Amino acid sequence: MSVTLFDKILDRSQIISGKDLETRYHHIWHMDQPLNAMCLLMPASTQEVSSIMKICFKNDLPVVVHGGLTNLVGSTETTGNEVVISTERLNKIEEIDSSSRTMTVQSGVILEHVHDAAASVDLLFPLNFGARGSAQIGGVISTNAGGLRVLKYGMTRQLILGIEAVTADGTIISSMKKIIKDNSAYDIKQLFIGSEGTLGIVTKAILKLEEAPSSRNAAYIGFNHYDNVVSFLKYIDAHLAGKLSGFELIWRNSYEQMTSVSHAVRPPLPYDYNYYVLIEALGSHPQNDHAEFQILLEKALEKEQILDAVMAQSPSDVEWFFRIREDVNNLVDFMKHDQHFDISLPIPLIGDYIGDRYESLAQIEGVEQIYAFGHVADGNIHFMIGKTHLGLDLKKEIDHCIYDGLKEIGGSVSAEHGIGTHKKDYLNLCRTPEEIILMKSLKSSMDPKGLLNPGKIF
């Protein structure tokens, strides 16, 4: 199909095809692999996206949407015959309404730019994770991203008030309201949040902002027993009275690698413990909050709830603490090939489940490194596995090892990254047959030709 179909609605500078596609790629970690697609289009408005989709619908052209390309489940992969729509020119912050505490943005706006814009008016968009410098809001919404502050503020789903999206046939669905309460029948925007671009293309959103905190305290804490991690979570959350915003757990070998000499990131605590917890508290009274934070840690030490702790004494310390947790390249850099997981399971069961997986993975030929860490307060643990080769049999053996047992304990194969292509075979472990039938019914109703992100999820 000729790309001249799109010349009628887009400027030639908005269309990339042929040899020029070699300058593009499907994932930020695979920049050495040229994009394999029919063409790439860069619309600059919702109306242009609508016009593109009308042409694609009429001509049965499959469509894959590219945002920041930081996904980890193959959601942006292509096979060669797709029209790729990049949201990079949908990059405007249209409005910041301080009174409503909202921000209206196009879907190509980078998350870190949202943070900066909110901070400029003393507000906070609380969603935060390591890829914030690349991830775009459209991708954040389509995957229902989580991150480091879900404990206090919830997933993306809780932070979106309004959405504008384009469906498979080019229809524009606009539900752009700044109100928190709208109980007028079905909440249509929720269909697009977490649907990985399979039900529609998000082009615009209204984000829910919070008042910016004036204090931020953080600490690393050492434990030898997982039960103590859980009891400390209950203790610190209860006594901080709503201020606890982050509770990150790092297994010892992961912590050692994250702070290795080769990365020039010094460890806040010595390598003496089995578990390391990074906590964050956001408040509004800097001196009082710091003192309260310190007293709570001291009492926990006196009661032997924790073995060791070190507090951040400055904003630069806080950044150092979080850089250790967020920079996963410190783990990937020494892997020949890497495989990533983001599972979810009940908090009390995490210690034993992950411990068993460490032992099982170590027995698999071809596995070289095993690292675990995660947002334990919301039950989300990440695994990063280093392996000797990319063989399908090895991948499946590792998958089976990580996922086997989740169904029985009410867990999930995906806590925040979605399903994409990489987890399709395991959707039945965390969704009932009836749920999957309903999902497929929604897909066929909203995308009867199966053009939007084909082959993903199902």
Side-chain angles (χ1 to χ4, degrees):
M1 184 66 65
S2 173
V3 297
T4 57
L5 280 171
F6 304 105
D7 286 341
K8 303 171 185 176
I9 59 171
L10 298 176
D11 184 81
R12 198 66 188 90
S13 66
Q14 295 174 276
I15 303 172
I16 298 177
S17 60
K19 291 283 289 183
D20 292 338
L21 286 172
E22 294 179 3
T23 65
R24 310 291 298 206
Y25 43 89
H26 76 270
H27 194 279
I28 205 165
W29 287 1
H30 299 287
M31 297 170 68
D32 58 335
Q33 299 177 13
L35 177 63
N36 185 22
M38 188 186 96
C39 64
L40 180 140
L41 309 178
M42 296 175 284
S45 68
T46 299
Q47 189 56 55
E48 286 185 350
V49 175
S50 173
S51 298
I52 291 168
M53 287 311 306
K54 287 177 180 177
I55 291 173
C56 291
F57 190 79
K58 181 180 179 180
N59 293 278
D60 296 332
L61 299 176
V63 174
V64 173
V65 181
H66 281 188
L69 302 178
T70 60
N71 78 93
L72 292 172
V73 293
S75 298
T76 55
E77 291 177 357
T78 57
T79 60
N81 66 329
E82 300 94 344
V83 171
V84 173
I85 296 178
S86 170
T87 58
E88 62 195 78
R89 295 195 183 184
L90 293 165
N91 59 4
K92 295 181 178 61
I93 295 176
E94 297 189 348
E95 181 193 49
I96 303 176
D97 185 339
S98 296
S99 298
S100 295
R101 291 187 291 192
T102 62
M103 185 185 301
T104 303
V105 301
Q106 294 180 340
S107 60
V109 174
I110 292 172
L111 178 58
E112 192 166 48
H113 296 171
V114 171
H115 290 169
D116 294 342
S120 71
V121 291
D122 296 322
L123 291 171
L124 171 75
F125 185 61
L127 190 72
N128 190 31
F129 47 79
R132 59 184 171 272
S134 303
Q136 296 178 8
I137 289 298
V140 166
I141 292 170
S142 71
T143 57
N144 188 31
L148 300 164
R149 291 174 176 162
V150 170
L151 166 65
K152 181 174 175 65
Y153 298 104
M155 302 278 281
T156 298
R157 196 176 296 282
Q158 281 75 47
L159 300 171
I160 304 297
L161 298 181
I163 273 183
E164 189 165 272
V166 177
T167 60
D169 64 359
T171 300
I172 298 173
I173 304 294
S174 188
S175 181
M176 295 289 285
K177 297 178 182 177
K178 297 179 181 180
I179 56 178
I180 295 174
K181 288 186 172 182
D182 183 3
N183 210 15
S184 53
Y186 303 151
D187 190 353
I188 298 298
K189 68 177 180 291
Q190 296 296 341
L191 287 173
F192 301 105
I193 302 173
S195 65
E196 301 181 49
T198 62
L199 300 181
I201 300 170
V202 174
T203 58
K204 198 178 295 186
I206 296 177
L207 311 180
K208 179 176 179 285
L209 306 180
E210 303 284 345
E211 295 297 330
S214 53
S215 73
R216 185 187 183 197
N217 288 292
Y220 268 102
I221 301 145
F223 301 86
N224 276 337
H225 302 288
Y226 181 74
D227 288 347
N228 296 125
V229 173
V230 177
S231 62
F232 179 72
L233 169 60
K234 292 178 64 64
Y235 161 81
I236 198 70
D237 199 11
H239 287 83
L240 281 175
K243 297 187 187 76
L244 185 66
S245 53
F247 194 97
E248 299 291 306
L249 177 60
I250 306 173
W251 272 252
R252 177 175 177 168
N253 75 312
S254 305
Y255 176 80
E256 290 177 349
Q257 182 60 36
M258 288 170 164
T259 58
S260 65
V261 175
S262 58
H263 292 292
V265 183
R266 67 189 190 281
L269 288 176
Y271 303 136
D272 295 337
Y273 311 107
N274 294 327
Y275 304 99
Y276 293 81
V277 167
L278 168 61
I279 62 172
E280 177 193 56
L282 302 177
S284 56
H285 300 286
Q287 288 186 331
N288 293 346
D289 292 340
H290 185 85
E292 176 189 42
F293 197 77
Q294 182 171 327
I295 289 169
L296 289 174
L297 291 178
E298 289 172 350
K299 287 183 177 179
L301 280 166
E302 291 171 5
K303 295 177 181 179
E304 298 184 344
Q305 288 180 299
I306 63 179
L307 298 178
D308 199 356
V310 57
M311 273 184 65
Q313 298 301 320
S314 66
S316 62
D317 279 355
V318 175
E319 295 302 321
W320 159 37
F321 284 11
F322 273 86
R323 187 167 66 252
I324 292 169
R325 165 60 184 85
E326 292 176 352
D327 190 2
V328 296
N329 286 329
N330 288 358
L331 302 179
V332 175
D333 284 350
F334 292 95
M335 295 179 178
K336 186 174 182 180
H337 300 288
D338 50 284
Q339 195 168 332
H340 299 242
F341 298 87
D342 66 307
I343 60 174
S344 187
L345 60 160
I347 293 172
L349 307 182
I350 288 174
D352 287 342
Y353 193 93
I354 303 306
D356 289 345
R357 270 58 201 170
Y358 261 96
E359 292 180 6
S360 299
L361 286 164
Q363 303 303 311
I364 297 176
E365 185 178 352
V367 170
E368 293 186 315
Q369 296 103 351
I370 308 163
Y371 298 117
F373 55 92
H375 325 294
V376 71
D378 54 51
N380 173 196
I381 300 301
H382 297 275
F383 263 111
M384 295 184 69
I385 312 299
K387 52 190 184 179
T388 57
H389 60 87
L390 291 173
L392 184 59
D393 289 343
L394 176 58
K395 178 190 179 300
K396 288 185 175 180
E397 189 173 3
I398 294 171
D399 283 343
H400 181 74
C401 181
I402 296 290
Y403 298 143
D404 185 38
L406 284 176
K407 185 174 183 178
E408 289 75 11
I409 62 175
S412 173
V413 299
S414 180
E416 57 185 2
H417 292 159
I419 297 297
T421 59
H422 299 175
K423 298 183 181 183
K424 288 193 296 184
D425 293 343
Y426 304 97
L427 183 60
N428 66 322
L429 296 182
C430 47
R431 295 294 187 181
T432 65
E434 293 76 16
E435 286 179 299
I436 294 174
I437 289 171
L438 181 57
M439 290 181 192
K440 290 182 176 180
S441 177
L442 283 169
K443 170 67 173 174
S444 61
S445 175
M446 295 183 66
D447 182 14
K449 294 186 176 183
L451 300 178
L452 288 172
N453 224 359
K456 311 306 193 296
I457 300 181
F458 309 114

